[in-house]
């Protein structure tokens, strides 16, 4: 059976390993530490850095495909692997548009895809000039940022001067984007194989809090059929024209006047696709493996009218109650909750797991999923329920 190597040992690799087990495959993992989420469970672990060419070559030896649980591998290292005959999926020619936000913005604009106004920021004057034209804006690190890191909301010229000067002084490449007045954020997830087969999951709504995805509602409530079709078609078009393979998330802004703008691309399994582990015929982790190995893709049909995913985030202060005891009480109260824990230590705002709940009524299911996730984070029921009674 095939061996797939995944660069990165985080929770995405851990959950991809779970899918590989069901398919009779082996997922080899390049992890930085033995305690990384995927390194705890995978039978084949190579310890090393994703920036080390020797470690990348070691994990790739004898594999059928090399893929990723993050986009931070230097592009030139991946190009070297391809030149040596390694089957890298997605290929670096596509992955660069998920690694480099400025390259992505320029490529999408060239393709006529709607994106916020943007500019490269190579000096303080670039930022203040953009602010003068567009008002408050979003400053982003071109590479490496995620979950709100490497993103700054700039309100005025004074703030722009201070932060831009500081980041440029640290050799951070920057990008300025117009701050969009949006109705909500959406995600259109698709998968594509090297053969060219593609599949799309229902478009979901993502609820962000402090720069992190907190809740995903599948399908996005109240989204018109026309806009849903537009979002899915756009994601499928991008997958094809950029030449990506595996799972890809297209993060979107929905504006108040009914337009869609592309925010970011992720060419790997993504937080906005976790709902499908329990809520779709084929979840994103199995689909990613199918795609990078060029298998026929699975059905993406939902298994319930509504699935809500809520992230379990580390609390400001770790509860005295153990995670195992919290799980015990959650199952006693909400037996339909599907819990996925990542084997990570608790610290404030860290993603340590998620909860999926399926049902018929979006309000009821969302309330239950958020209550379950909050309980797992804080050992406190949001409605004041006392489990001892």
């Amino acid at each position: 059976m095939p061996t797939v190597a995944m660069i990165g040992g985080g929770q995405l690799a851990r959950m991809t390993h779970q899918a590989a087990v069901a398919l009779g495959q082996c997922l080899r993992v390049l992890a930085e530490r033995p305690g990384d989420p995927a390194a705890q469970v995978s039978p084949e672990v190579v310890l090393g850095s994703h920036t080390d060419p020797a470690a990348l070559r070691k994990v790739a030896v004898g594999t059928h495909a090399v893929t990723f649980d993050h986009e931070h591998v230097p592009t030139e290292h991946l190009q070297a692997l391809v030149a040596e005959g390694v089957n890298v999926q997605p290929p670096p020619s596509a992955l660069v548009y998920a690694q480099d936000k400025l390259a992505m913005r320029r490529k999408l604009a060239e393709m006529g895809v709607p994106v916020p106004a943007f500019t490269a920021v190579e000096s303080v004057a670039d930022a203040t000039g953009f602010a003068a034209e567009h008002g408050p804006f979003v400053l982003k690190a071109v590479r490496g940022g995620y979950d709100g890191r490497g993103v700054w909301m700039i309100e005025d010229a004074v703030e722009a001067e201070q932060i831009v000067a500081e980041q440029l002084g640290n050799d951070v490449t920057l990008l300025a984007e117009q701050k969009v007045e949006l109705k909500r954020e959406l995600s259109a997830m698709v998968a594509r194989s090297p053969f060219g087969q593609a599949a799309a999951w229902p478009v979901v709504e993502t609820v962000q809090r402090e720069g992190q995805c907190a809740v995903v509602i599948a399908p996005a409530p109240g989204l018109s059929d026309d806009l849903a079709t537009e979002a899915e078609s756009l994601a499928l078009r991008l997958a094809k024209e950029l030449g990506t393979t595996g799972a890809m998330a297209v993060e979107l802004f929905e504006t108040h006047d009914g337009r869609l703008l592309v925010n970011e691309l992720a060419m790997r399994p993504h937080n906005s696709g976790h709902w499908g582990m329990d809520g779709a015929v084929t979840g994103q982790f199995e689909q990613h493996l199918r795609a990078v190995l060029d298998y026929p893709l699975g059905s993406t049909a939902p298994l319930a009218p509504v699935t809500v995913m809520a992230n379990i985030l580390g609390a400001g202060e770790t509860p005295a109650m153990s995670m195992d005891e919290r799980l015990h009480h959650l199952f006693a109260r909400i037996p339909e909750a599907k819990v996925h824990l990542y084997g990570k230590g608790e610290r404030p705002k860290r993603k340590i797991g998620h909860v999926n709940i399926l049902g018929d009524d979006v309000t009821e299911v969302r309330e239950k999923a958020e209550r379950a996730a909050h309980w797992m984070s804080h050992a406190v029921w949001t409605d004041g329920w006392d489990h001892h009674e």
Side-chain angles (χ1 to χ4, degrees), residues 143-166:
R143 283 180 175 257
Y146 68 99
D147 280 349
R149 302 176 182 90
V151 178
W152 301 268
M153 299 296 177
I154 306 298
E155 297 298 330
D156 54 48
V158 173
E159 189 176 20
E161 290 178 11
Q162 177 186 345
I163 295 176
V164 169
E166 178 184 340

Side-chain angles (χ1 to χ4, degrees), residues 268-304:
R268 53 171 170 76
H270 189 256
N271 200 174
S272 66
H274 290 353
W275 70 273
M277 295 176 72
D278 304 297
V281 173
T282 309
Q284 64 171 342
F285 299 101
E286 178 184 336
Q287 195 81 298
H288 186 73
L289 288 169
R290 289 195 191 202
V292 301
L293 289 169
D294 219 5
Y295 287 5
L297 301 183
S299 166
T300 54
L303 295 175

Side-chain angles (χ1 to χ4, degrees), residues 96-267:
V96 68
Y97 298 115
Q99 295 174 315
D100 187 309
K101 295 178 178 65
L102 186 57
M104 181 265 291
R105 282 280 177 258
R106 287 170 170 162
K107 181 65 174 178
L108 296 191
E110 177 188 312
M111 294 168 62
V113 173
V115 295
F118 69 95
T119 191
V121 175
E122 298 174 349
S123 67
V124 171
D126 289 335
T128 54
F130 191 80
E133 182 178 357
H134 297 284
F137 67 92
V138 183
L139 183 71
K140 293 182 177 181
V142 167
R143 283 180 175 257
Y146 68 99
D147 280 349
R149 302 176 182 90
V151 178
W152 301 268
M153 299 296 177
I154 306 298
E155 297 298 330
D156 54 48
V158 173
E159 189 176 20
E161 290 178 11
Q162 177 186 345
I163 295 176
V164 169
E166 178 184 340
Q167 295 304 315
L168 290 178
N170 292 330
D171 293 325
V172 177
T173 308
L174 298 171
L175 163 74
E177 294 181 358
Q178 183 179 15
K179 188 176 181 181
V180 177
E181 293 298 324
L182 63 142
K183 178 180 178 182
R184 59 179 170 176
E185 295 191 45
L186 304 171
S187 177
M189 280 212 68
V190 297
R192 182 176 178 272
S193 69
F195 178 75
Q197 185 188 10
W201 285 273
V203 177
V204 302
E205 178 178 347
T206 63
V207 179
Q208 311 289 322
R209 293 178 186 146
E210 298 182 34
Q212 279 186 303
C213 178
V215 178
V216 173
I217 308 166
L223 187 66
S224 70
D225 290 343
D226 287 346
L227 214 54
T229 300
E230 180 183 338
E232 289 181 18
S233 299
L234 175 59
L236 291 168
R237 176 195 166 198
L238 290 175
K240 179 180 179 180
E241 294 188 19
L242 297 178
T244 192
T245 49
M248 181 177 78
V250 180
E251 297 180 57
L252 299 160
F253 294 142
E254 180 187 358
T255 65
H256 291 284
D257 57 0
R259 293 179 299 123
L260 295 176
L261 301 174
V262 175
N263 178 25
E264 304 225 342
L265 303 178
M267 295 181 185

